[in-house]
Amino acid sequence: MGRHRKPNLVKGTWVDERAKPKRHGKLLRGDRKDGNKHTWVVEFEQADGTKSEEVKTSAQLSRSDLQGPTPTGATNTSDNEEQHGNPPEASDDENKSDSDTDSENNEIETPPRPKRRAALNHRVINTPKPTAGISTSLTESSSGSESGNESDDDSGRGSSDSDSDSDDLLVVVATNHIDGNPAYDWTMHIVEGEEEQASNDGFPFQDDDSVTDSAGSSQEPTNVSSPNEPTESIPNEPTEDLEAADERDFEREEEHRLKMDVYLAEKEVLLEEGWSVSIVPEKPPLQPGAVVHSRHKKPKKGKVIKRSPCGEHWLVQFNGSERLVQMSSHGLTQVWEAEPYVWKIVEDSEPDSEEMEDYDTIGLVGFDFTRFSEQKIEETIDTLAYEYPFMKLLQYMWPGNPKEQVVLMNKAIDVENEDRKKKKRQLVKPVTEHEYWKFIGVLISAAAFRLGGHQLWEKESGRLHWTVTDPIDLGCKGQGIMPFYRFKDLKSMFPSAFQDMDAKEKKDPWSMVRGILNGYNDKRARVIAASIRKIMDESMSAYKPQTTKTGNIPHLSYIDRKPEPLGTELKTVACSKTGVIIYAEIQEGAIAMNKKRHAKLGGTISCSIRLAEDSLYCGSKLPSRQEAKARQAPECFKGDSWFTSVPVAEWMSEHGHAYSGAMKTNTRLFPNKEIEEKMEQWPSGSYLVLECHTPNGHDLIAIGYRYNRKKTLLFLATKNAGSTKPGRPYTAKFADSLGTIQERLVPRPAVLSEYFNDSNVIDTHNHVRQGELKLEKRWVTHDGWFRIATTIIGMTITDCWKLIKHSGPDYLKETTIVQFADMLAADLIRNNVPDKPPTGNGLYINVDGPPAEIGGRPQEVCSPVTVATVETVVTEHKFADNSDCEDDGHGRPRRRVCQGKGCTKKTQKKCQHRSCKSRRYNANGPEKRGVFFCENHWGEHHKDVAAALATMYDSDW
């Protein structure tokens, strides 16, 4: 129920002074001499009977319950009673009837009961159910006539209603007596179209009590006293002075308005003065190419050529000499001359070019979503005509080639069987493609059953703890899907299916998951037509090893701010429209990341640039994306504070792309301290914009946005990222002095409105995968590789679910991720893939046409074959120089003897197809991999591959 609000102070109102000792007085007139404060001239009664006039504010006064002079012999109530409006304990004389009390105290006027008005759409009221200890009364009257023998108190309370234009008036009064004391009370006055109500929260309304019809008549409930009987006396309502609360809210709004005026005035002054901030770049560490002076009495100027072989000194070539001199860093002084970054205030920033238009086609390319027709599924689900649409969607989005993965998994089984033969243990049966998908279906079913591990194979009688779920038992004696021992064998071999043999040959410590990660990125680069607006953020594969330090994986990350802080961290990029993650990169540790592309720029900067390069123009199957790549069309990236820095924004601007992101830690060359100092006293919704034309010729903008009274948010963006003029406002919610939630529209720049609209895309993806799907939590493991594979499979399932919500039929758009996983697991467990051993050599060509470079990296093809032609094979199996070089990678490419028939020529040309790169070069020789042909025999290799593909074509794919 709502609070009791007292009537506002008006001329002639009797009031009490809040300060002690309390004095009783009457408002004579208002006084506005003290600025905007509400002040009054009050006539107080002194102890000697004299009267004095004083000026008081509304906050110093409270409306008195005694609307008249203080009666002779009357005593003031306690401070607590006056503050909260609770009546004093009733004495024997005060427990008399209302009429007796009025007759004895003729001078005391009963104050009218304050009411809060609320609109009613119809004339329906609810009265409480009669219970023990509760008496209720129902009174009905109409204008121009009074009902029964109403007491003066009742008539006083209803006087305001009798003056209204309503023809009907219904008054319901109830008092709850506990041990003879009125504990809770409420009353409701209803007129047509309005509700007047004052209530104490201790007595709630019920839903199924007496109802008043449109004519005003009521169905009288049981144990309700007659209208002619006198009603129970109602104790005075709480006298909490809400006038002071209103005063505080008024002062708060006034303070905010004054701060806005000050902010606008200060900003105008800064604009007139042309306020700017100049930042000189810091001197970089000594590196090859730097200009130096020797620290001698007669310094020599020279240039650093390279590090010495020992790695502790530098080889320097001084001017006028061709000899290289070995010198330590302490003997050199670097000459550093750099132009400053000047950030100048502007009122608002507008892009120089037109607003970037998004692509027409966004979503999954080449997949027919009509397979999910509700009618079609219902008609065919129990027949051979069922198309298994959920499984087809997962296979279309699956990271890598499942046929190759089955082959690699069987190789791991062969190795395991060799060890088991020595120990005379039972051998592991090879896996088929049918069983491979069934195994994945069992993995996913744990999300639907909300159980994992051995619990999926437990009968109700065999469970350690009684549960309310139905017995599942996927084993032979249950549903006959897969025995538990078989599942454990496949689970231990499962990570081997995603091993990259080429990376293993190069001794890559992450080769066990390189295959599934590359397959994930390559598949999305081809079939996900992403928006031009892409989001950068982090994802975690949570893992807490118990037996070893890192759980057999090379590196674990710990990020305290994440819900799951320990595990393998992935830097990811997502489409802002579909919510699908289109690129992921594992954080492999500082040493390994320093060997990646752009590592010389720094770890954070190089990672941000790699993510942008590898996620550009996703959806290469579409001509529109190929055309956009050919003309280097601009795209827009948004990142959190980890990715945002001035060098990243400069790189984006240099390549024609837009960028906007929050600025927190990477503040080098950014005026963060100056902006925060200027905006320290500014109100929420205020913002400050500075532009910078960098020494490298790029236009950047810095934005300071006052989020609330305590926090200033900083943002960095390229000039073409958007406008800083006010865009869609932010809705701020806060509690007023009464505890009521209020809303205020806080203005903010348009570029920030767009940023906040998309910034949580990856966070939402992570929450669905970790908090709802929970595959990582369902399958506890000591194998870190299995945990990473489970995470990427969970990301794939989440991507499929988001694509269903984006492009699927309406009846599936409201499904949860758990419901989707249930339907997907059902399709996989009873899949229609032939249960036969894999055949062929695992070479597959692309059905999507000639490949193109995707985001700066060559596309690696892993899709199944449809028609094997020599022309298509030529485009897929390209030859290039061997990436493995002599002299520990610093010499020329290693050469091998050509594998053409009768050719003994050595060549460095190696087939770049993934399957060819993983093949053993010489079955009888050392562990060397790759397919090498000289230029005269490339056609021979292409014809052999085409012939092999034609014989291994599988109609199921």
Side-chain angles (χ1 to χ4, degrees), residues 11-153:
K11 180 179 178 180
T13 303
W14 290 86
V15 295
D16 289 331
E17 188 179 15
R18 290 181 179 273
K20 295 181 180 180
K22 296 188 175 181
R23 294 181 295 172
H24 187 66
K26 184 177 181 180
L27 300 183
L28 297 182
R29 62 184 179 277
D31 186 83
R32 291 285 179 175
K33 295 180 181 180
D34 189 9
N36 290 327
K37 293 185 178 179
H38 297 280
T39 56
W40 302 90
V41 177
V42 187
E43 183 182 63
F44 287 110
E45 298 180 0
Q46 305 297 336
D48 55 359
T50 61
K51 298 182 179 180
S52 62
E53 294 184 3
E54 299 182 18
V55 177
K56 297 290 181 180
T57 65
S58 299
Q60 296 174 324
L61 304 173
S62 64
R63 187 181 179 90
S64 176
D65 292 336
L66 302 178
Q67 297 298 305
T70 304
T72 305
T75 58
N76 291 335
T77 57
S78 64
D79 296 338
N80 184 63
E81 292 164 355
E82 291 190 23
Q83 179 68 22
H84 298 286
N86 295 329
E89 294 185 4
S91 63
D92 294 339
D93 295 335
E94 292 172 343
N95 287 333
K96 298 179 182 180
S97 64
D98 293 338
S99 59
D100 295 339
T101 303
D102 292 339
S103 62
E104 291 176 5
N105 300 322
N106 296 333
E107 299 178 1
I108 302 179
E109 299 179 7
T110 303
R113 188 179 185 88
K115 311 170 186 65
R116 176 173 291 181
R117 292 182 176 270
L120 283 182
N121 295 328
H122 49 78
R123 296 178 51 82
V124 177
I125 75 164
N126 296 327
T127 57
K129 292 182 178 180
T131 56
I134 299 179
S135 63
T136 60
S137 63
L138 183 65
T139 306
E140 180 177 355
S141 64
S142 59
S143 60
S145 63
E146 297 184 358
S147 164
N149 299 324
E150 284 187 346
S151 65
D152 297 339
D153 195 1

Side-chain angles (χ1 to χ4, degrees), residues 761-775:
V761 169
I762 295 181
D763 292 334
T764 304
H765 192 285
N766 294 338
H767 170 72
V768 170
R769 174 179 57 85
Q770 293 179 303
E772 299 181 23
L773 192 63
K774 297 183 179 180
L775 283 185

Side-chain angles (χ1 to χ4, degrees), residues 715-726:
F715 296 88
L716 174 67
T718 57
K719 190 174 177 64
N720 61 339
S723 171
T724 62
K725 290 185 177 180

